[in-house]
Amino acid sequence: MSSHQTACAWDLELGIHHLMPKLWTGEQRYENASGSTLKFKPVIQKTITGQSASVGIFWENLLVQIEQAFYRYETEIPTSNIAVMNDTMARFEVTEQRLGISYHLERELAGVYAGIGVTREKEKIVTSSDEWQFEADVPYFKFGIDIILGAWRVRVEQIHYSFGKHSAKVGSLGILLHL
C-alpha cells in the first residue's frame, strides 16, 4: 500500500521595474474638481520614463500579480483651447494600478510568459492654475521573458492597452526576487 502526497508549492515575487511607455494620443475629455471639462490631445515631445513596483503569488505556472506604476511627461496646451488663457505648459501624471494573471513556461535559466489583466488608469493634467483628470478601468495584455539567476529574475516585458482615446505600449525592465 503506497501513500500519495501532493504539495501545494507557491512563491512570493517582489519586483521593481523601469518603464518606457510609448503613447499614441487622441483627443480626450478631462474634468477638473469643479466639473469643467478640457477636451485636449496631448503632444508628447520627449521619451517618457517611469517606474513601478509589483507583488505576486506564483503557483505552479501561474502568477497573480498586483503592480503600481507611475510616469509623467510634459506637453503644451495651446491658447486655442478654451480652458486656458494663453499657451500653457502642462505636466501629465499617469498612475496605474494593475491586477493580472500570467502563464509562465520556465526552464533552468530562462522563461517566457503571457498574461492578461485590468488596470485602473488615472491620467492627471497639472498646470499652474488647475488640474484635470481622466480615469478608466481597462483590460491589458502582456508578454515577456525572464532570465533566471537563482532566486533573482531579470524580466523584460511589454504591456498593451487602450484608455479612452489613447493607446499604450509599455516596455519595462525589472528585477524580481522569488521568496
Side-chain angles (χ1 to χ4, degrees):
M1 190 163 160
S2 68
S3 67
H4 180 68
Q5 288 185 315
T6 59
C8 187
W10 58 274
D11 291 325
L12 178 65
E13 179 182 88
L14 304 172
I16 56 171
H17 313 263
H18 178 70
L19 308 176
M20 285 194 65
K22 184 165 182 124
L23 302 177
W24 292 270
T25 61
E27 191 172 67
Q28 189 115 280
R29 184 179 304 271
Y30 301 90
E31 189 173 313
N32 68 6
S34 66
S36 298
T37 60
L38 167 67
K39 199 168 183 184
F40 177 63
K41 179 184 181 213
V43 176
I44 300 163
Q45 299 166 343
K46 295 183 179 178
T47 301
I48 304 170
T49 60
Q51 60 277 337
S52 70
S54 65
V55 175
I57 302 286
F58 232 118
W59 183 69
E60 294 187 8
N61 291 343
L62 295 176
L63 172 66
V64 176
Q65 186 179 48
I66 297 171
E67 188 171 5
Q68 176 74 37
F70 176 79
Y71 55 91
R72 75 174 76 181
Y73 62 95
E74 291 187 356
T75 190
E76 186 173 74
I77 302 175
T79 305
S80 61
N81 194 301
I82 211 165
V84 296
M85 300 302 262
N86 50 25
D87 287 357
T88 303
M89 284 307 289
R91 183 178 71 241
F92 275 63
E93 298 175 350
V94 180
T95 56
E96 299 176 29
Q97 297 167 333
R98 299 185 194 126
L99 174 62
I101 188 165
S102 54
Y103 183 78
H104 293 246
L105 294 173
E106 296 181 342
R107 296 295 176 248
E108 292 177 18
L109 299 175
V112 295
Y113 65 93
I116 58 171
V118 67
T119 182
R120 176 73 173 158
E121 189 76 25
K122 183 176 181 180
E123 186 179 30
K124 183 168 43 169
I125 303 172
V126 180
T127 66
S128 59
S129 60
D130 210 345
E131 283 186 13
W132 295 271
Q133 67 181 28
F134 174 82
E135 290 185 51
D137 293 322
V138 298
Y140 69 81
F141 168 74
K142 72 178 181 175
F143 60 91
I145 60 171
D146 286 338
I147 297 171
I148 301 169
L149 307 167
W152 293 94
R153 301 200 176 184
V154 175
R155 179 167 293 161
V156 178
E157 76 179 6
Q158 275 193 8
I159 300 174
H160 297 262
Y161 56 90
S162 293
F163 59 106
K165 303 293 182 182
H166 303 336
S167 61
K169 175 176 75 174
V170 180
S172 82
L173 176 64
I175 306 260
L176 300 105
L177 176 62
H178 277 240
L179 305 171

